[in-house]
Amino acid sequence: MPSMLWEFQDLFVELRDGPAAGWGGEVLQPWLDRRSHLVAELHELGRPDSRRVRVPREGNHYTALEGLYALSRIVDVLLSAFQPGRSDPQLLDWTSGKPWWRGTIPGTSAWPTFRAAIRAAPLAESSFHPFFHEIVSVQVSDDADEPPSVVGEFWPGAVVGSMLVARAGVAVRAGAHHLDADVAARSALYWAWWRCNRRAVDLSHGWGHNSQWTTDFRRDYIAEGHLHYNVDADPSRQPDRDLNDADRIDLLRYRCSIRTDLGTDQWPFDDTFVEQAP
């Protein structure tokens, strides 16, 4: 049976074109209540063993990865309620000069309502780890060797079963040997369609209205005591790059540059990695 997760694209369009600023559960809950099949499919993909299942192309139908991508765009919009905004023109859609998101900003209740409706569990990791945490701001420690630690949370993350849906947005404190404060908080965020406060690099950017929705979601899993990054990667598609292995793995794990700004033209999309869970 073809995946039905593409229906999240319809919700994205409804949210873009419809509700007044500050919208929340009153918009999301009725829509999701009528689509329990989407929640069931999400949780099937969230099973630990689903990380081993390749998602097939299905002719003219959207795949489950493309449906998950539509879901991820909605999550990006919901998280905007918690983000400090910036007026930098580099944050605009570089193909049109207009904002990536042209709808209204939701209220802060929208994300927890959505998370509960899809039966996603909140992330409860208090110790910093790039699998669980997106860096939003950095406090510089006087000790250059101090490793990153969480000192505040902008928004909570979420997992469906073993599959990561969204990382928590956090403020961290770290020494300069671990993170450059400006680079870690302002460099381009890969595998993100939009952020209010930093540039995003998404494989849908620059494509037309229909083609952009054929972008695949990045699947990460917590399973069997390990963290599995980007399980659908195809290393055979890797282009030649100048990055050393350490920078390549850091970009995959953090989804952004952390010490030296690597720019927006890297290709981490077919890297994959497994490490022991903390």
Side-chain angles (χ1 to χ4, degrees), residues 78-93:
L78 300 180
L79 298 184
S80 69
F82 304 90
Q83 295 162 17
R86 294 172 61 207
S87 57
D88 186 342
Q90 286 195 329
L91 301 185
L92 299 175
D93 179 343

Side-chain angles (χ1 to χ4, degrees), residues 142-262:
D142 293 335
D143 178 2
D145 291 320
E146 181 179 335
S149 60
V150 175
V151 295
E153 184 179 81
F154 289 87
W155 66 82
V159 290
V160 167
S162 294
M163 183 176 66
L164 183 67
V165 172
R167 299 184 297 170
V170 295
V172 301
R173 184 178 63 240
H177 290 168
H178 290 273
L179 300 176
D180 178 284
D182 189 61
V183 170
R186 293 286 178 262
S187 62
L189 187 68
Y190 285 77
W191 288 282
W193 172 68
W194 172 61
R195 289 293 185 272
C196 292
N197 62 324
R198 68 194 303 171
R199 295 186 70 179
V201 180
D202 185 289
L203 289 178
S204 76
H205 290 170
W207 290 94
H209 174 72
N210 291 323
S211 297
Q212 63 185 275
W213 293 107
T214 61
T215 304
D216 286 348
F217 176 74
R218 166 179 159 168
R219 288 195 297 166
D220 291 5
Y221 284 82
I222 313 159
E224 298 177 353
H226 288 80
L227 307 176
H228 302 259
Y229 297 82
N230 199 20
V231 300
D232 298 295
D234 182 355
S236 69
R237 298 185 300 196
Q238 278 291 359
D240 293 332
R241 294 178 297 174
D242 296 328
L243 291 185
N244 59 44
D245 287 344
D247 284 342
R248 182 175 59 81
I249 297 303
D250 279 345
L251 191 56
L252 174 66
R253 294 171 74 240
Y254 287 83
R255 308 192 189 203
C256 66
S257 305
I258 57 173
R259 287 178 294 271
T260 300
D261 194 337
L262 303 174

Side-chain angles (χ1 to χ4, degrees), residues 1-7 36-38 40-41 44-45 53-65:
M1 174 183 289
S3 171
M4 299 302 292
L5 293 176
W6 62 266
E7 292 180 24
S36 59
H37 58 285
L38 299 184
E41 186 176 351
E44 178 64 23
L45 288 165
V53 179
R54 304 298 293 183
V55 176
R57 296 291 162 186
E58 303 197 52
N60 294 325
H61 299 285
Y62 286 110
T63 69
L65 293 182

